[in-house]
């Protein structure tokens, strides 16, 4: 009897599997479970679902402290997602009741994708702009945003300081700045920018910060 050829079974793949997600989902609100495609773009790194869920629990707590809102709602909130990418952060805010959300990105293909999503969802609260996220923040009326989402490319660290400075100016005294970075930003380096760490978590290579205005409270 001829023995089976096991050569093919021993062949190993030569390349590494692409572990980046090809889609993410909106977690809560009116568009819960809506899928958002993740384009194959260098540096595009959507916020992990677990981090996003924690972030919006933090924001809901802030909203509830002043408005009595529960269940992740952000009633009356104005938000800007300055490095929108897939739009996951800004669209999550709109899904949860924010009355205005500006999504900004420099990549024309990503902007086109966001425009299609806006139409699909009939997302009247969402505006989309192609451009520089820092410039968009600098144009924003001071103290007008309840939430500023900052998720710049990890490989361009020079973006972080100007983005944080502009975000601190744009955000309302009762609002918050979300910062996603490859490292922890501490209160000592944030203080000159007018911010402090209110919440922080680490998930894999991602450091997720919720920042608020003013100095850190004394321990």
């Amino acid at each position: 009897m001829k023995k089976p050829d096991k050569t093919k079974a021993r062949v190993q793949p030569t390349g590494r599997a692409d572990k980046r997600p090809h889609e993410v989902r909106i977690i809560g609100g009116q568009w819960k479970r809506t899928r958002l495609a993740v384009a194959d773009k260098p540096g595009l790194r959507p916020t992990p679902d677990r981090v996003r869920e924690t972030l919006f629990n933090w924001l809901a707590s802030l909203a509830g402290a002043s408005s009595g809102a529960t269940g992740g709602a952000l009633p009356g909130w104005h938000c800007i997602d300055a490095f929108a990418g897939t739009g996951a952060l800004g669209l999550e805010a709109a899904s949860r009741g924010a009355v205005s959300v500006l999504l900004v990105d420099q990549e024309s293909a990503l902007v086109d994708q966001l425009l299609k999503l806006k139409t699909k969802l009939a997302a009247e609260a969402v505006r989309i702009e192609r451009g520089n996220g820092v410039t968009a923040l600098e144009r924003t009326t001071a103290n007008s945003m309840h939430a500023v989402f900052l998720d710049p490319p990890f490989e361009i660290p020079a973006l972080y300081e100007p983005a944080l400075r502009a975000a601190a100016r744009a955000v309302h005294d009762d609002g918050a700045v979300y910062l996603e970075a490859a490292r922890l930003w501490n209160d000592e380096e944030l203080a000159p920018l007018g911010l402090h760490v209110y919440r922080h978590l680490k998930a894999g290579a991602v450091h997720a910060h919720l920042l608020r205005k003013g100095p850190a409270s004394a321990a």
Side-chain angles (χ1 to χ4, degrees):
M1 180 183 292
K2 185 178 180 181
K3 293 184 179 180
D5 185 358
K6 297 183 180 179
T7 304
K8 291 184 179 179
R10 293 195 297 268
V11 174
Q12 298 296 323
T14 56
R16 292 184 178 181
D18 185 357
K19 295 183 179 181
R20 292 180 302 173
H22 297 292
E23 65 179 28
V24 294
R25 296 188 182 190
I26 294 176
I27 295 167
Q30 64 176 317
W31 303 320
K32 184 177 180 179
R33 298 188 184 92
T34 297
R35 298 179 180 184
L36 309 177
V38 177
D40 185 15
K41 293 281 185 182
L44 185 60
R45 173 192 32 78
T47 301
D49 287 355
R50 181 169 73 86
V51 174
R52 215 159 6 104
E53 183 173 11
T54 300
L55 165 63
F56 280 90
N57 286 339
W58 289 342
L59 294 177
S61 178
L62 291 179
S66 60
S67 67
T70 58
L74 305 176
W77 275 39
H78 299 269
C79 310
I80 178 170
D81 189 351
F83 302 90
T86 63
L89 291 170
L91 289 170
E92 187 80 44
S95 180
R96 293 171 184 250
V99 295
S100 75
V101 179
L102 174 61
L103 307 179
V104 184
D105 203 279
Q106 292 196 112
E107 289 281 344
S108 58
L110 295 177
V111 169
D112 288 344
Q113 183 172 287
L114 291 172
L115 288 168
K116 290 176 183 176
L117 269 171
K118 173 182 166 69
T119 300
K120 174 185 174 182
L121 298 171
E124 295 182 3
V126 174
R127 291 187 298 120
I128 297 162
E129 178 180 305
R130 183 185 177 191
N132 183 288
V134 175
T135 302
L137 283 167
E138 291 172 342
R139 290 200 315 263
T140 300
T141 303
N143 303 312
S144 64
M145 293 289 119
H146 294 87
V148 176
F149 301 108
L150 299 180
D151 184 10
F154 282 4
E155 63 273 18
I156 312 180
L159 279 174
Y160 281 78
E161 187 171 323
L164 284 164
R165 192 180 302 278
R169 172 190 164 277
V171 74
H172 191 277
D173 290 345
D174 292 331
V177 176
Y178 172 69
L179 171 67
E180 197 165 305
R183 67 173 181 86
L184 172 66
W185 282 68
N186 60 45
D187 287 335
E188 185 175 339
E189 59 189 328
L190 289 167
L193 305 174
L195 297 164
H196 69 274
V197 178
Y198 179 69
R199 295 282 188 270
H200 169 263
L201 70 83
K202 185 176 186 295
V206 173
H207 284 266
H209 313 67
L210 194 66
L211 312 176
R212 302 200 71 188
K213 293 177 78 167
S217 300

